[in-house]
Amino acid sequence: MAYTIPKETYSGKVLGLEFGKGPKALKVGGENTLPFLSFEGNIPNKPVIAYEIQDILPEDWPDTVQKQYTAVSDNPVKWAQFCQNDLKAQAVALRLIGTHPDRGNRSSEDAAKTVKDVLSAIEIPLIILGSNHIEKDASVLVAAAEAASGYNCIIGKAQEGNYKTIVAAALAHNHKLIAMSELDINLAKQLNILITQMGFDKERLITDPMCSALGYGLEYTYSVMERIRLAALLQNDATMQPPIVGDVGMYVWKVKETLASGADIPQWGALEERGILWEAITATAMLTAGANLLIMRHPKAVETVNKVIEELV
Amino acid sequence: MALSGVEIFKLLPKTNCKKCGFPTCLAFAMKLAQGQIDLSSCPDVSEESKRVLGEASAPLIKTFNLGTGAKAAKMGGETVLFRHDKKFFNPCVFALNIKDTLSDDELTKKVDEVLNSEIDRVGQNLRIDAISLEFASNDSSRYESVVKLISQKSPEVPVILNCKDPSAADRAVKAIADKKPLLYGASEANAEAMVNIAKTNKIPLGVYAEGLTALSALTEKIKGMGVEELVIDSGARKAKDIVELNTQIRRAALKKGFKPLGYPAINFILKNDPVLEASIAAVAAVKYASIIVLSSIEKWKNLALFTLRQNVYTDPQVPMQVEQKIYKLGEPNADSPLLITTNFSLTYFIVSGEVENSKIPSYLAVMDCEGLSVLTAWAAGKFTAGKIAQFIKESGIENQVKHRVLIIPGMVAILSGALEEKLEGWKIVVGPREANALPTFLKSKTA
């Protein structure tokens, strides 16, 4: 019995999406095969990792990550420049967490100013994220989208409870948009349909099926991502073809395994490496399931996952 | 290849005798096709049919153990490419590679690391499953003595003899043949000698060839020589080759019924940077490796890899559960808040994590709802006022706290009235709908 490569034929493909402007603009997606299977399709773009920064001091981040940014994290402009110039980031994701009613309740105007200041200080593409407060995001992201007009940013996240105003703002100011639903392929599909029904091109959407950390539901995110990719490729389901984002850092850096010291739990080993690896493995699993864009926090984890990506393409 | 119910039906007596417990032969055939019953339930099936059905029902990926005894690890037997289609059955083996050039002291330390690698997580005992002993000294008597040393220090841990030299392999295998080691290192160059060792000692053989064309030709040849328990190495070392070749192996075996690749796959991931090594190992763990050989096993690295393996090999149909009890988060005292939730492991992890983030010591009552999340358990009638009241009363928490205030999940706010009636003397407080609001909630309650 001679061996022949068992190739799959796919009728669909993942949509390509460009964000940012000028020479540093990035493209993700566009593949017509399952993740990294070059023997049966084309994979024109590598996955991209964006460094997460935020508009207020990252006091809720564990020390392991906080100390990487001590010199710059009091100022999102300095922080973004540090990512671009020192860490050689491809992209930055600015989370406007300070607008959350429980986290300082900054106004939409303040948020818009932060967005403007950061944009004028960097050349790499910017992802603008709200605080994940449904009502507040509906106004904050509208102001942010306007402030970023012309920069071809990714804004998000539009959710079932607030997508209408956010979609309208992304449409008016020509941004790309993250649509987030909670760990359910049918909800992801439904939200993408609702958004495109407002006249928003599916070519400008990114699906966020909700990330989960290693050990805390990773398998759910993993399987939802795999199923979205299979639907996009095998069933040519157009609503499932936008690129996928994995918002890794915020889920990883609050679980016990990235917080508890080695002295407290000796059998878990050194905290520093454990945290870094927790983020790197969560991100790597997302890549193998189909994520095109990752949002991460620890420079060492990003460096490792970039090496994994180099080995995968 | 698996047969359909109708194909199986054609091979049955078609007497509808009902001796199997089903009303018709067709009904029995359908159950057989689904793998829900064994052919032996039919007393009248012909020998010829038994043979045909036996072959057809043989697993598409060969299944056998690495090692013997309590710590033996089952490999192969997988039936799907994607875990959501059914589940992945036999968790990949993590093995530590040790070179025989180390001093006896260093070797002992490495073996101790393996023996001390056990960690409990969600009720499962996880560990580094095997030792891969690499023949690097080029001295067969040294190799033999190291094999004996390791076997003596860790008699139960399965061993992979990573050795391409047949004469050294022969001595090493003989020294521990009763442990049923896996002899890794059969290639085109040494196949005959390695097969002889494997046959003589009745042990499985690890087969290496560069690429799947050469590998499948070699496994056919070796099978023809009489060794059927094989572990295959496609030569993949880079992440891309691991994803591509492991996928091709699994697909060829399952979708094409291609027997020459229907064996467990082994990936060697040996790098200087332990974080990178673990990340590449993660690629192999999610993409079909049966054995992953590592160069180091730091505790933090083990914890991450064990957790990933546990996640990926979880049955998507059966929720992971945690034990029903009152969990202490932080160091709660008689005035600390008491919260209740269900025993779906994810619910427990997220709720307990957020309570810990609040830095407010608390009691978390976790109630057995067969692993359902809060809303589902409520809808299924498993998380009801009556059952919660009974659990709280029987839990003994009334002796541990002075107050009588129970915080229930916001999702089941509807229960609060009924619960206050059933749980006499208690005040019910409705907590937030989402766990991530718990830190703010708890701080405001205790302020």
Side-chain angles (χ1 to χ4, degrees):
Chain A
M1 256 200 282
Y3 176 68
T4 48
I5 297 179
K7 289 187 189 173
E8 194 70 69
T9 40
Y10 305 104
S11 49
K13 67 179 262 188
V14 177
L15 297 165
L17 176 138
E18 194 172 291
F19 65 111
K21 61 170 196 172
K24 302 279 185 186
L26 291 169
K27 209 170 173 190
V28 292
E31 64 271 21
N32 63 353
T33 174
L34 287 174
F36 312 111
L37 300 184
S38 304
F39 64 85
E40 61 187 7
N42 293 317
I43 305 172
N45 301 299
K46 284 191 233 180
V48 166
I49 303 175
Y51 272 94
E52 179 179 346
I53 67 169
Q54 60 181 42
D55 58 343
I56 53 170
L57 274 176
E59 284 165 329
D60 59 322
W61 294 16
D63 287 345
T64 316
V65 212
Q66 248 191 68
K67 69 184 181 202
Q68 307 298 320
Y69 302 109
T70 323
V72 294
S73 58
D74 60 331
N75 178 338
V77 171
K78 277 197 295 181
W79 194 350
Q81 285 176 325
F82 176 73
C83 292
Q84 172 184 279
N85 302 331
D86 295 67
L87 301 176
K88 310 293 173 206
Q90 289 178 279
V92 167
L94 168 64
R95 197 181 303 276
L96 298 165
I97 193 73
T99 62
H100 195 286
D102 297 338
R103 300 289 306 280
N105 206 16
R106 295 177 77 229
S107 68
S108 298
E109 293 74 30
D110 286 349
K113 183 171 182 314
T114 305
V115 167
K116 268 207 165 111
D117 292 347
V118 168
L119 275 168
S120 57
I122 57 171
E123 293 164 6
I124 53 176
L126 184 68
I127 300 167
I128 304 166
L129 302 168
S131 65
N132 211 18
H133 186 276
I134 297 284
E135 293 82 27
K136 193 69 189 285
D137 277 2
S139 57
V140 167
L141 288 175
V142 169
E146 190 184 351
S149 197
Y151 282 91
N152 191 25
C153 295
I154 294 173
I155 69 165
K157 302 167 180 177
Q159 304 181 53
E160 192 192 354
N162 63 10
Y163 72 93
K164 283 184 183 157
T165 57
I166 301 171
V167 170
L171 202 54
H173 301 285
N174 263 314
H175 296 299
K176 306 301 192 291
L177 181 69
I178 297 173
M180 186 183 104
S181 48
E182 293 185 355
L183 286 178
D184 181 327
I185 186 171
N186 296 312
L187 293 179
K189 186 175 160 74
Q190 181 190 324
L191 183 60
N192 285 0
I193 291 171
L194 290 171
I195 289 173
T196 48
Q197 278 173 349
M198 287 181 66
F200 197 86
D201 286 342
K202 64 181 189 304
E203 285 78 10
R204 295 170 56 197
L205 265 182
I206 298 173
T207 303
D208 180 354
M210 195 160 130
C211 196
S212 341
L214 175 61
Y216 294 82
L218 176 111
E219 69 272 29
Y220 293 88
T221 300
Y222 184 87
S223 285
V224 172
M225 282 188 184
E226 273 198 331
R227 291 176 62 199
I228 289 175
R229 270 298 150 266
L230 289 166
L233 296 167
L234 282 178
Q235 284 127 48
N236 196 15
D237 181 343
T239 62
M240 296 276 77
Q241 288 171 342
I244 296 175
V245 62
D247 194 355
V248 173
M250 67 174 283
Y251 290 96
V252 165
W253 292 103
K254 66 176 183 183
V255 307
K256 200 170 177 185
E257 284 80 351
T258 64
L259 302 173
S261 77
D264 286 347
I265 309 181
Q267 66 269 33
W268 282 7
L271 171 61
E272 182 105 14
E273 287 89 346
R274 191 191 328 129
I276 292 167
L277 185 58
W278 219 261
E279 186 171 36
I281 286 192
T282 304
T284 301
M286 300 295 98
L287 290 176
T288 55
N292 304 90
L293 176 63
L294 299 169
I295 299 168
M296 297 177 63
R297 289 184 179 172
H298 199 294
K300 279 272 182 303
V302 173
E303 191 189 315
T304 302
V305 178
N306 271 324
K307 284 183 190 164
V308 174
I309 291 173
E310 286 311 313
E311 277 204 25
L312 279 167
V313 294
Chain B
M1 296 289 278
L3 296 178
S4 71
V6 173
E7 284 166 324
I8 294 170
F9 173 65
K10 289 178 186 160
L11 297 164
L12 296 177
K14 305 192 198 76
T15 51
N16 296 338
C17 71
K18 302 183 178 63
K19 287 181 209 159
C20 61
F22 293 92
T24 63
C25 288
L26 185 61
F28 179 64
M30 292 300 168
K31 286 285 165 193
L32 268 178
Q34 290 162 15
Q36 291 175 357
I37 196 162
D38 197 79
L39 181 62
S40 59
S41 302
C42 175
D44 303 323
V45 68
S46 72
E47 285 305 313
E48 172 60 11
S49 294
K50 265 190 205 165
R51 193 188 57 77
V52 175
L53 286 167
E55 260 174 33
S57 63
L60 293 168
I61 299 173
K62 188 98 184 158
T63 311
F64 56 95
N65 281 349
L66 179 67
T68 55
K71 289 191 174 176
K74 197 172 171 192
M75 303 180 294
E78 300 299 335
T79 59
V80 294
L81 278 147
F82 302 102
R83 59 182 293 284
H84 60 257
D85 282 338
K86 188 170 175 74
K87 66 176 256 187
F88 293 165
F89 288 92
N90 294 312
C92 55
V93 165
F94 289 116
L96 172 65
N97 193 59
I98 304 178
K99 293 185 182 182
D100 67 347
T101 44
L102 295 182
S103 71
D104 285 5
D105 275 356
E106 290 168 318
L107 283 166
T108 306
K109 252 187 221 159
K110 292 268 183 191
V111 174
D112 283 343
E113 270 186 73
V114 173
L115 292 173
N116 294 328
S117 65
E118 299 200 356
I119 299 174
D120 277 314
R121 195 174 188 283
V122 207
Q124 291 184 359
N125 183 255
L126 310 167
R127 60 175 172 262
I128 294 295
D129 314 270
I131 290 173
S132 156
L133 184 62
E134 183 179 342
F135 179 53
S137 65
N138 211 22
D139 172 353
S140 55
S141 61
R142 170 67 186 159
Y143 194 54
E144 185 187 354
S145 70
V146 171
V147 166
K148 283 180 178 160
L149 176 74
I150 286 184
S151 169
Q152 179 203 337
K153 298 258 179 219
S154 56
E156 291 191 312
V157 179
V159 173
I160 300 165
L161 293 170
N162 181 356
C163 175
K164 298 186 176 72
D165 179 324
S167 60
D170 192 38
R171 288 178 67 171
V173 168
K174 277 191 185 125
I176 55 164
D178 56 321
K179 284 179 57 133
K180 209 185 167 201
L182 166 67
L183 174 57
Y184 167 84
S187 63
E188 189 56 46
N190 64 11
E192 229 161 288
M194 297 296 254
V195 165
N196 278 334
I197 299 170
K199 266 169 79 174
T200 311
N201 297 285
K202 298 191 177 60
I203 57 166
L205 196 55
V207 181
Y208 160 84
E210 200 64 35
L212 299 183
T213 302
L215 184 59
S216 44
L218 186 55
T219 59
E220 277 300 86
K221 180 171 151 183
I222 288 174
K223 190 182 170 195
M225 293 158 115
V227 180
E228 298 202 10
E229 290 189 345
L230 304 179
V231 170
I232 54 177
D233 176 12
S234 63
R237 297 293 180 271
K238 267 181 60 185
K240 177 159 205 78
D241 297 329
I242 291 169
V243 171
E244 290 198 337
L245 298 183
N246 285 9
T247 300
Q248 288 183 27
I249 289 170
R250 176 73 61 97
R251 258 194 214 163
L254 296 185
K255 297 188 80 172
K256 307 283 179 194
F258 187 67
K259 295 279 182 195
L261 293 179
Y263 301 101
I266 186 169
N267 290 136
F268 287 85
I269 299 162
L270 309 171
K271 294 185 180 281
N272 294 326
D273 172 355
V275 177
L276 183 61
E277 180 174 288
S279 302
I280 305 291
V283 172
V286 299
K287 285 293 165 192
Y288 315 136
S290 283
I291 302 179
I292 297 173
V293 183
L294 303 163
S295 70
S296 71
I297 51 164
E298 294 83 354
K299 288 188 180 302
W300 49 270
K301 186 172 159 185
N302 295 348
L303 182 69
L305 286 174
F306 295 166
T307 305
L308 178 70
R309 174 175 64 181
Q310 189 175 47
N311 283 175
V312 172
Y313 281 86
T314 298
D315 186 341
Q317 312 296 325
V318 182
M320 295 278 283
Q321 303 182 23
V322 294
E323 186 193 345
Q324 161 168 310
K325 65 173 190 181
I326 310 276
Y327 290 81
K328 290 181 179 177
L329 306 175
E331 283 166 20
N333 58 36
D335 297 314
S336 299
L338 169 68
L339 304 91
I340 186 163
T341 191
T342 66
N343 76 327
F344 176 34
S345 69
L346 203 52
T347 301
Y348 164 75
F349 276 136
I350 290 171
V351 171
S352 64
E354 294 293 355
V355 172
E356 284 181 0
N357 286 346
S358 77
K359 306 263 193 288
I360 293 170
S362 306
Y363 293 97
L364 179 62
V366 173
M367 189 172 135
D368 182 359
C369 298
E370 293 166 30
L372 297 179
S373 63
V374 169
L375 207 51
T376 323
W378 171 75
K382 299 185 194 304
F383 197 55
T384 61
K387 288 179 181 169
I388 293 172
Q390 190 189 358
F391 168 50
I392 291 294
K393 279 181 191 145
E394 289 172 2
S395 71
I397 187 69
E398 289 182 321
N399 301 324
Q400 293 180 57
V401 293
K402 282 193 290 190
H403 66 76
R404 291 291 178 264
V405 180
L406 177 64
I407 301 167
I408 64 170
M411 290 279 187
V412 289
I414 193 167
L415 288 178
S416 64
L419 198 48
E420 276 191 351
E421 274 175 30
K422 306 246 179 199
L423 202 53
E424 237 173 275
W426 282 75
K427 181 171 175 263
I428 305 303
V429 171
V430 176
R433 290 175 62 84
E434 301 291 339
N436 62 14
L438 274 170
T440 312
F441 174 84
L442 286 172
K443 279 175 202 159
S444 72
K445 286 287 155 198
T446 50

